[in-house]
Amino acid sequence: MASISAKILMALSGLFLMGFLLVHLLGNLQIYAGPEVFNAYPETLRHYPVLLWTARVLLILAFTLHILTSIYLSTKNKAARPVAYAQKHSVQASLASRTMLLGGLVILGFLLFHLAHLTWRWVFPEYAALDLYTLTVLSFQNSLVAAFYVLAQVFLALHLSHGFSSAAQTLSLTRWCATTFRFAGYAFALAITLGYVSIPVSIWLGLVHA
Amino acid sequence: MSLLNLKLRVWRQKNGTSKGAFVNYDAPNISPDMSFLEMLDVVNEKLITQNQEPIAFESDCREGICGACSMVINGIPHGKERGTTACQLHMRHFKNGETIVIEPWRARAFPLIKDLVVDRTAFDRIQQAGGFVSVNTGSAPDAHAILVHKDNAEKAFDAAACIGCGACVAACKNASAMLFVGSKISQLAHLPQGDPERKRRAKAMVMQMDAEGFGSCTNTLECEAVCPKEISTRVIAELNWEFMRS
Amino acid sequence: MLNASIPEGPIADKWASYCDASKPINPANKRKYHVIVVGTGLAGASAAASLGELGFRVSTFCFQDSPRRAHSIAAQGGINAAKNYKNDGDSVHRLFYDTIKGGDFRSREANVYRLAQLSVKIIDQCVAQGVPFAREYGGLLDNRSFGGSLVSRTFYARGQTGQQLLLGAYGALNRQIAAGTVKSYPRTEMQDLVVIDGQAKGIITRDLLTGELRAHMADCVVLATGGYGPVFYLSTNAVGCNVTATYRAYKKGAFFANPCYTQIHPTCIPQSGDHQSKLTLMSESLRNDGRVWVPLKKGDARPQEQIPESERDYYLERKYPSYGNLAPRDISSRAAKQVCDEGRGVGPGGRGVYLDFSDSIKRLGQDVITARYGNLFDMYAKITGENPYQTPMRIYPAVHYTMGGLWVDYGLMSNLPGLFVLGEANFSDHGANRLGASALMQGLADGYFVLPYTVASYLNHVKPGAIKNTDAQVTGGLRETHESIVRLMSVRGKHSPDYFHRELGKIMWNDCGMARTEQSLKNALSEIPKIREAFWKDVCVPGSSQDYNPVLEKASRVADFLEFAELLCLDALERRESCGGHFREEFQTEDGEAKRDDKNFSHVAAWEYRGSGQKPTRHQEELAFENIALAQRSYK
C-alpha cells in the first residue's frame, strides 16, 4: 500500500474517532444532570440495538484501522532512519507531533482500562452491581483512578492537538489555510479534554456526589 | 569583529560499510565573515598539509542554489539560520569558544558515502518517475498560447524553488521526502502544462518515493522549518490531493 | 586559415539551408548510434534529452552527484529572446545586432544570427515544460531589460532563471532516462578524449566514488563542460567548475579559441578576506533600479549617508548618459576599477562601489523592490551581514564567464571530426564580451535546437559502432590517465592543491584580469611555470585513488589550470588590441575605452597544442562583417 493511502486511512479513522469522542463526551456530561438522566442514557441506547451495534462495529473497525495503519507506517518510518542522529534539535515540530505513537499507546492502554472499569466492571468488583452513576462517582473518589483518568486525558489532548490538523493536512484540506486547521485542532483538543477532565475532577472535589 | 576559536565534533566514516565516529578538531582564528564551508576549508587545508584525509563534504556553487551542501550543524540541517544553506551560513552566527557538532544527512534512502557525503540519487529516480512535462523539443506552441494566472505562476514558482538538497528528509523524524516530492508535484499542478499528466505523475512519484525507503509524513512541519528555500508544507497537502485524485 | 563551414546565402536563410541540406537518418538506424554528452548543464542536458527524443542512444556524464547541480543552476537574471512581446521594436535582427556589438565585433555573424533566430523557440519550449517564468496580471509573460540593450527582451523567473531553465532541461533528460534512451553517469569525470584516426570516438572517465577508470566508446562526443573561470581561483563559478575536459581535448588536438576573452562581471559582492573560496554575483538586473556611485573626493572615508548628493559621482550615468547604469559588463567593470584605482573605492581595501537603491525605493516603494529583487537582497544580507534596504550594496567586479573555448565550426563541431562543443565550453557566439541573459540563451539554443541537427548531419557519414574499446588508442589512454593519477598521488608534498590554485589565481587576477599589459602578461608567463613546478614538487593528495577522494579531483583540475593559464596569457599577449573583456592598457582611446585593431585582429585565434613544453600554434579564422558594419562601440 502506498504510504499516502495508509495515511489517508489513518486520517479518516482518526476523524471518525474524534467524532465518537465528541458524542461520547456529550453523553458523559449528562452526569451533571443527576443520576436519573445519566443512568437513562445507556438504557436509551440499548433501545436501539441496531444503531448501537453499528456504532460499536464501526468503532472497533476504526480503532483497528487506526492501529494497523499506525503500525504499518511507524514500522516504515523507523526503518527509514536506521542510524540515529547523535544530536538533533527540532525547530518547529511540536511535542505532540513528535510523540504521536507514544500518545497513541497511552490512549490505547487507557481505553482498555476504561472499558474494564466502566463497561466490563472488572476494576472494582465490589461496585459491579451498582448503577453506572454510582459506580462512576464512587470510582472517581479514589484519587489514583481520578488522577489516571486526568493524565490519560492530557495525552489525549496532545494526540488530538496534532491529530486534528494532521488529518486535515493528509486529507489536503489545508491547501488554502493551514493555520486555521492548526488552531481548530488546538481548540478541539482543549474542549474535548476539558470536558472529559471536568468529570473526575468534579467528583473528586465533591462537586458531584452520590 | 574579532576572530573566533571554535571546536568541531565531526562525524568521520570511511565508507558506507565501515563504522563511523565523531572526531574532535580545533578551528582557531576563524573570521566571522567566512562561510561555514570556508571554515571547514581552513580545517581541511591543515589536515591535508599533515597528509591526513580531510573531512569529506559536498559543495559546488557556494551560493545556495545547487543544493550540493548537506550537513547537520548542531542538530539542524544547514544550521539554525532560517532559509540558509550551509554554504551561505556565516560564522558571525557562532560564538567564540563554541563546540559545533557536524553530522551527515541520516536516512536509509541516502546511503552514506564518506564522512558528511551521502548518496542522494534516490531524488533523481523520483524525478525520473514523473517529475516532468512530456514535451519533445520543437513541439511547443508559442509561449503566449498558454496563459497562466499570475497567482498560479507565483505558487508554481514557490514550489519550484526546491534545490533538491535533502534537508527536508534529514530533518524529518521519519526521513520522509514528501516536501521534496510535493514541491515538484505542486509546481506542475499549478500550471496548465502539468495538467494532462497530473494523475500519472502523482502516482508514479509517490510509488518511487516509497520504493526508495523514505518514511511517510506525520505532518510535524519540521521540513519547512529547515528548507533553505522555505518551501511551505502546503505542497505536501497538494501532493496528498493530487495523489487522492490519481 | 580555419574554415567555419558557414552555409552560403543571405544570413537569415543560412540555418534553414543548413537544415535542408542535411539528410535525416532512418529512425531504425538512429538507435545504433551512441552519443556521449559530457556535462549536464543547460547545453548538455538539453542536447542529451533532445538526442534521446530523436532515438539516439545517449550517455551523459557529470562530476556532480546529480545532473541538476550543474552550474547553469546559478544563473540569476534571465534569458534573452527576440519575441518583441513588449512591442518596443525588438526583432531577430536587433538581438543579432546587440550581440555582435556587445561582443565588440569579435564573434561570428552567422552563429549569432542563428542564435537570435532560435531564441524565440527556446522560450516556447521552456514554457511548455512548465518553467515558471514571471507573468503579468493578464497571464502573459513578463520581460525586463538587461545590460547592453535598450529593449526589454529578458524573460526571467525571479532571480533564479538558470535554476528553473535547468530544472526544465533536467526534467526532459529524466524523461529520456526513464524511457531508456539516455544512460546517466553522475559522479563520473571525463579524464581524456579518445581520438582514433583523427576522429573523436570516446572518452575515458574516472568513477569518483571508486576511482575506476573506464573507456566509453561512441560515434561522436559532445562536450558541454562549461567555462574556465576558476583559472582565476576566485570567480562567481562553482568551486567544481574546471577546464579539464576542454583542456584535455585540446591536448588531443582540438583547437582552443580566444582563451583570453574572459568576462569580469561588474556586480559581485566584494571579497571579504583571504579565506574566500568564491565570489557571489548579484544579478545584473539590479542595475535596472540601482544607481552606481562612489564619492567624488579621493579617500572620502565618511559613511555613505553623510556624503551629500553633490559629492557623489554617479560615474556610469556621467560617462554613458544613454545606457547609464545599464552599460555592458566589460565597460561597467572597467569603470569600477578605474574609480577604485583613483582611490575613490568604498569598503574594506577600497575595492568596492555603491549600488544604491534608495531612489528606487522612494519612487517605487520597498514592496516593489522586494518583489523584483527580494531574494538577491536576502542573499546580500546573508553574506555581508548588512541590510541593503537601508545601506547601499557594495559591489566589485569578479570573474564570471569565459567567452573563449574550444573552436567550433558553424555546426558546433571542433576541428576534430566527431567532437562537438556546446555552451560556455565553446567560443562561438559572444565574441569578446557576453551580454547579460545571453548565456542561458546560447546554452539552450545549442542543446535543444542546433546540435540535434548538426550531430545527425555528421553521423550520416559515420558507420555506427565502428570502434571497440580494445583499440590501442583506448588502452593507451587508460594507461596515461592511470599514470597521471599515480603521479599526483605520489608527490606527497606539503601543500594542498588549493594552495597552488590560490597562487595561480593571484597572478592571473593581477596580471591578466580586468586590465592587461605586455609586461604584466610576460610576468605571468614567467611566473606560471614556477607555480606549476612547485605544484608537482610539493602538492599533497592524502587518501587513496581507489576511493572517493575530493582532494585528488581538485589536484587533477588544478594541474590542468596550471597549464591552461599559460595558454590564456599567451593568447592575451598575442592579441595586441583591446576588445570587450580583453583590455590591453596599451590599446585604449583617449577617454579610456577599448581600442580595437580591426585591421590586424578581426579574427578568431585558435590554438593548437604542439606537445608539452612546446609553444602552441596560433591559427586564425577571419571574421567577416557583412551584415553589421564594424564600428567602435558606443554606449554614450
Side-chain angles (χ1 to χ4, degrees):
Chain A
M1 180 164 38
S3 57
I4 298 184
S5 308
K7 278 155 46 66
I8 291 168
L9 290 178
M10 176 175 252
L12 289 173
S13 55
L15 286 177
F16 180 83
L17 292 172
M18 286 182 213
F20 164 72
L21 280 175
L22 189 64
V23 172
H24 186 52
L25 175 64
L26 293 176
N28 289 2
L29 287 177
Q30 296 176 60
I31 199 162
Y32 294 112
E36 291 76 21
V37 179
F38 189 69
N39 285 332
Y41 172 54
E43 287 306 317
T44 320
L45 290 183
R46 273 186 211 108
H47 285 306
Y48 304 98
V50 179
L51 201 70
L52 183 65
W53 278 102
T54 313
R56 280 182 174 165
V57 168
L58 282 177
L59 268 177
I60 292 168
L61 274 178
F63 265 113
T64 316
L65 201 58
H66 204 67
I67 291 166
L68 285 181
T69 48
S70 81
I71 294 171
Y72 175 74
L73 288 171
S74 42
T75 316
K76 277 178 73 154
N77 293 347
K78 289 278 174 286
R81 175 160 298 132
V83 182
Y85 288 104
Q87 193 184 42
K88 184 78 176 62
H89 286 303
S90 287
V91 183
Q92 69 175 30
S94 64
L95 177 71
S97 73
R98 287 180 282 125
T99 53
M100 288 302 274
L101 185 62
L102 176 71
L105 288 172
V106 171
I107 292 163
L108 180 64
F110 166 75
L111 174 73
L112 294 175
F113 178 81
H114 182 56
L115 288 172
H117 175 206
L118 294 178
T119 307
W120 303 323
R121 301 183 178 220
W122 297 341
V123 177
F124 296 102
E126 62 273 31
Y127 305 149
L130 297 173
D131 67 291
L132 185 63
Y133 182 87
T134 319
L135 168 64
T136 309
V137 170
L138 289 179
S139 322
F140 286 143
Q141 283 170 353
N142 179 325
S143 302
L144 275 178
V145 173
F148 178 60
Y149 266 74
V150 171
L151 184 72
Q153 298 316 306
V154 173
F155 276 93
L156 180 69
L158 276 177
H159 200 75
L160 291 179
S161 75
H162 179 67
F164 187 89
S165 56
S166 183
Q169 168 84 348
T170 299
L171 297 175
S172 194
L173 307 171
T174 47
R175 271 173 294 157
W176 303 281
C177 47
T179 36
T180 314
F181 282 96
R182 206 165 308 151
F183 287 107
Y186 297 154
F188 179 76
L190 194 68
I192 292 278
T193 311
L194 286 180
Y196 277 120
V197 164
S198 76
I199 298 170
V201 169
S202 319
I203 293 173
W204 188 75
L205 290 174
L207 301 175
V208 174
H209 44 81
Chain B
M1 261 168 109
S2 54
L3 298 179
L4 305 167
N5 292 304
L6 302 162
K7 296 199 180 313
L8 308 181
R9 262 174 79 68
V10 186
W11 184 263
R12 302 296 309 261
Q13 185 171 342
K14 192 161 171 42
N15 54 47
T17 51
S18 64
K19 207 167 152 340
F22 282 99
V23 178
N24 294 327
Y25 297 96
D26 283 325
N29 302 323
I30 298 300
S31 156
D33 287 328
M34 282 183 192
S35 73
F36 197 82
L37 302 190
E38 285 166 349
M39 181 275 293
L40 286 179
D41 285 343
V42 170
V43 174
N44 275 348
E45 180 111 19
K46 195 168 156 212
L47 288 174
I48 295 171
T49 55
Q50 296 164 348
N51 201 6
Q52 293 182 40
E53 281 202 64
I55 302 158
F57 66 88
E58 286 200 88
S59 83
D60 201 22
C61 78
R62 297 206 175 190
E63 54 184 83
I65 194 73
C66 76
C69 57
S70 47
M71 55 187 79
V72 177
I73 301 167
N74 284 340
I76 301 171
H78 293 302
K80 72 175 188 319
E81 291 300 305
R82 281 231 172 193
T84 305
T85 52
C87 65
Q88 295 264 282
L89 175 65
H90 280 68
M91 297 313 292
R92 65 180 76 94
H93 300 296
F94 293 86
K95 286 194 285 290
N96 192 25
E98 191 174 341
T99 299
I100 306 173
V101 181
I102 311 173
E103 288 183 78
W105 286 176
R106 296 197 188 276
R108 184 168 70 129
F110 290 162
L112 192 134
I113 290 171
K114 187 174 191 169
D115 298 343
L116 305 174
V117 180
V118 297
D119 177 358
R120 286 171 285 185
T121 46
F123 272 8
D124 288 319
R125 290 187 291 273
I126 293 174
Q127 295 294 346
Q128 286 156 17
F132 47 77
V133 172
S134 295
V135 49
N136 277 9
T137 300
S139 58
D142 184 87
H144 270 179
I146 306 166
L147 293 183
V148 181
H149 195 290
K150 189 174 168 65
D151 291 347
N152 285 333
E154 294 293 323
K155 280 197 179 125
F157 189 96
D158 288 340
C162 170
I163 57 174
C165 65
C168 46
V169 174
C172 176
K173 74 183 189 67
N174 310 322
S176 164
M178 290 279 279
L179 195 73
F180 170 77
V181 178
S183 61
K184 182 48 85 177
I185 292 284
S186 167
Q187 177 201 343
L188 295 176
H190 283 289
L191 297 172
Q193 297 92 312
D195 188 56
E197 295 172 281
R198 68 193 314 152
K199 291 185 177 174
R200 199 194 64 78
R201 176 183 307 117
K203 200 176 224 161
M205 289 181 79
V206 168
M207 290 304 173
Q208 188 63 37
M209 172 184 86
D210 285 352
E212 295 289 349
F214 291 104
S216 62
C217 174
T218 48
N219 306 317
T220 68
L221 312 185
E222 190 65 6
C223 50
E224 74 177 12
V226 302
C227 174
K229 297 295 142 184
E230 300 183 271
I231 293 172
S232 152
T233 43
R234 188 197 81 214
V235 304
I236 296 183
E238 287 170 355
L239 166 60
N240 289 330
W241 176 242
E242 294 297 322
F243 182 78
M244 279 189 264
R245 286 179 65 177
S246 73
Chain C
M1 193 67 72
L2 283 163
N3 180 3
S5 314
I6 298 166
E8 294 299 317
I11 195 155
D13 301 337
K14 283 184 193 293
W15 179 237
S17 60
Y18 181 96
C19 296
D20 290 345
S22 69
K23 203 175 80 189
I25 300 176
N26 175 353
N29 287 337
K30 277 185 190 161
R31 62 177 163 271
K32 294 180 187 158
Y33 288 102
H34 181 214
V35 181
I36 281 174
V37 180
V38 187
T40 56
L42 285 178
S46 60
S50 305
L51 291 170
E53 286 161 10
L54 290 170
F56 294 105
R57 249 180 341 112
V58 183
S59 298
T60 62
F61 298 83
C62 63
F63 71 79
Q64 297 92 344
D65 68 324
S66 163
R68 68 179 290 154
R69 303 208 206 281
H71 192 56
S72 307
I73 199 113
Q76 298 171 354
I79 175 166
N80 286 332
K83 283 281 196 187
N84 194 26
Y85 281 160
K86 289 283 168 185
N87 195 30
D88 55 1
D90 198 12
S91 65
V92 167
H93 189 269
R94 190 172 298 278
L95 176 53
F96 163 63
Y97 172 83
D98 284 348
T99 309
I100 290 280
K101 179 184 167 197
D104 215 355
F105 299 91
R106 288 294 174 263
S107 42
R108 195 189 281 153
E109 273 195 341
N111 282 52
V112 176
Y113 198 90
R114 175 179 64 192
L115 178 65
Q117 284 175 309
L118 294 175
S119 67
V120 297
K121 293 176 74 175
I122 297 170
I123 302 302
D124 300 343
Q125 182 66 27
C126 295
V127 165
Q129 287 171 344
V131 170
F133 282 117
R135 300 262 169 183
E136 295 172 338
Y137 281 104
L140 299 170
L141 292 160
D142 194 13
N143 289 138
R144 61 184 171 200
S145 50
F146 237 68
S149 159
L150 293 176
V151 294
S152 273
R153 64 159 76 96
T154 304
F155 295 78
Y156 66 100
R158 295 195 196 155
Q160 287 112 292
T161 317
Q163 180 200 24
Q164 295 309 319
L165 294 175
L166 181 61
L167 293 181
Y170 166 73
L173 180 66
N174 280 334
R175 178 170 163 246
Q176 293 310 306
I177 293 172
T181 59
V182 175
K183 171 111 178 72
S184 163
Y185 295 86
R187 293 194 197 270
T188 309
E189 186 166 25
M190 170 175 158
Q191 300 289 306
D192 211 348
L193 181 71
V194 177
V195 181
I196 293 169
D197 300 331
Q199 298 187 352
K201 286 294 181 191
I203 58 171
I204 287 168
T205 60
R206 178 168 183 270
D207 181 322
L208 299 182
L209 294 184
T210 64
E212 187 202 359
L213 298 179
R214 212 182 130 184
H216 297 264
M217 308 313 295
D219 299 295
C220 69
V221 175
V222 180
L223 298 187
T225 52
Y228 47 84
V231 70
F232 292 88
Y233 184 65
L234 282 184
S235 76
T236 65
N237 285 190
V239 291
C241 291
N242 63 81
V243 75
T244 292
T246 46
Y247 188 71
R248 294 190 183 175
Y250 160 75
K251 285 172 91 171
K252 279 286 186 303
F255 293 174
F256 213 110
N258 299 336
C260 77
Y261 291 163
T262 52
Q263 179 166 76
I264 317 282
H265 194 290
T267 52
C268 301
I269 300 178
Q271 192 178 346
S272 68
D274 288 335
H275 56 263
Q276 194 110 15
S277 60
K278 79 154 275 164
L279 296 168
T280 303
L281 174 85
M282 302 286 5
S283 168
E284 177 169 343
S285 62
L286 289 170
R287 290 199 278 145
N288 274 318
D289 289 305
R291 298 178 70 196
V292 178
W293 65 275
V294 288
L296 210 50
K297 274 202 308 256
K298 221 165 124 169
D300 191 338
R302 286 176 290 175
Q304 56 84 24
E305 67 273 10
Q306 291 173 20
I307 302 177
E309 199 61 28
S310 60
E311 291 174 42
R312 298 178 174 192
D313 179 13
Y314 295 89
Y315 59 88
L316 283 177
E317 296 171 22
R318 172 172 58 79
K319 286 164 105 168
Y320 310 102
S322 87
Y323 279 71
N325 294 301
L326 287 176
R329 291 176 173 177
D330 52 337
I331 288 176
S332 310
S333 293
R334 232 164 13 245
K337 180 179 188 296
Q338 272 167 11
V339 294
C340 292
D341 288 348
E342 288 162 21
R344 299 196 285 141
V346 297
R351 290 279 137 195
V353 300
Y354 288 125
L355 179 61
D356 195 338
F357 289 87
S358 51
D359 285 350
S360 299
I361 291 175
K362 255 181 247 153
R363 183 165 44 95
L364 302 164
Q366 185 165 324
D367 292 348
V368 175
I369 296 298
T370 307
R372 284 185 191 165
Y373 313 110
N375 66 316
L376 297 169
F377 276 49
D378 292 348
M379 188 157 85
Y380 182 86
K382 245 173 229 164
I383 293 171
T384 61
E386 293 171 10
N387 179 354
Y389 290 104
Q390 283 156 12
T391 56
M393 290 183 178
R394 283 175 299 108
I395 54 166
Y396 196 68
V399 174
H400 175 58
Y401 186 89
T402 53
M403 284 73 70
L406 290 182
W407 184 87
V408 288
D409 66 9
Y410 185 72
L412 303 184
M413 188 163 78
S414 80
N415 58 303
L416 289 179
L419 178 67
F420 292 82
V421 192
L422 312 185
E424 192 178 352
N426 75 23
F427 87 104
S428 67
D429 295 357
H430 306 297
N433 173 55
R434 178 175 67 75
L435 289 182
S438 285
L440 304 183
M441 171 172 71
Q442 187 220 339
L444 289 180
D446 286 1
Y448 281 132
F449 298 111
V450 179
L451 189 84
Y453 284 90
T454 61
V455 155
S457 166
Y458 168 76
L459 291 178
N460 245 320
H461 311 287
V462 173
K463 186 169 163 276
I467 308 289
K468 297 281 167 282
N469 60 5
T470 46
D471 188 282
Q473 291 294 326
V474 180
T475 49
L478 280 168
R479 197 181 49 243
E480 276 170 39
T481 307
H482 175 72
E483 282 164 3
S484 73
I485 289 170
V486 169
R487 211 177 136 213
L488 275 173
M489 296 293 301
S490 57
V491 180
R492 299 281 172 188
K494 288 193 298 292
H495 291 295
S496 71
D498 274 325
Y499 168 85
F500 299 100
H501 196 181
R502 272 195 296 269
E503 293 297 304
L504 174 68
K506 276 181 214 154
I507 290 176
M508 293 302 289
W509 180 244
N510 291 332
D511 289 343
C512 194
M514 270 187 282
R516 303 155 175 181
T517 64
E518 182 172 342
Q519 201 198 343
S520 75
L521 293 167
K522 283 186 171 157
N523 181 56
L525 284 169
S526 80
E527 290 299 317
I528 295 165
K530 289 182 201 160
I531 303 177
R532 195 165 59 226
E533 208 173 305
F535 172 87
W536 284 106
K537 260 199 210 126
D538 218 7
V539 73
C540 183
V541 182
S544 152
S545 64
Q546 308 296 309
D547 194 4
Y548 179 64
N549 190 339
V551 187
L552 174 61
E553 294 166 29
K554 183 69 203 257
S556 159
R557 292 167 194 163
V558 171
D560 288 327
F561 279 131
L562 285 167
E563 292 183 22
F564 171 73
E566 224 178 311
L567 180 69
L568 198 164
C569 293
L570 183 63
D571 185 48
L573 182 67
E574 299 273 316
R575 186 166 283 279
R576 291 182 178 78
E577 64 161 351
S578 293
C579 57
H582 171 64
F583 190 74
R584 286 280 297 264
E585 287 185 2
E586 306 94 311
F587 308 102
Q588 52 181 310
T589 61
E590 277 171 13
D591 46 1
E593 300 296 345
K595 193 168 154 195
R596 291 198 321 261
D597 178 354
D598 291 331
K599 194 158 151 263
N600 295 305
F601 286 98
S602 182
H603 62 246
V604 176
W607 295 88
E608 182 185 4
Y609 184 71
R610 306 293 295 183
S612 173
Q614 305 292 312
K615 194 183 169 193
T617 308
R618 189 176 192 271
H619 298 274
Q620 293 183 10
E621 176 201 334
E622 288 307 317
L623 293 170
F625 291 91
E626 292 160 350
N627 297 277
I628 296 176
L630 278 164
Q632 201 209 327
R633 282 196 307 172
S634 170
Y635 290 93
K636 296 202 161 162

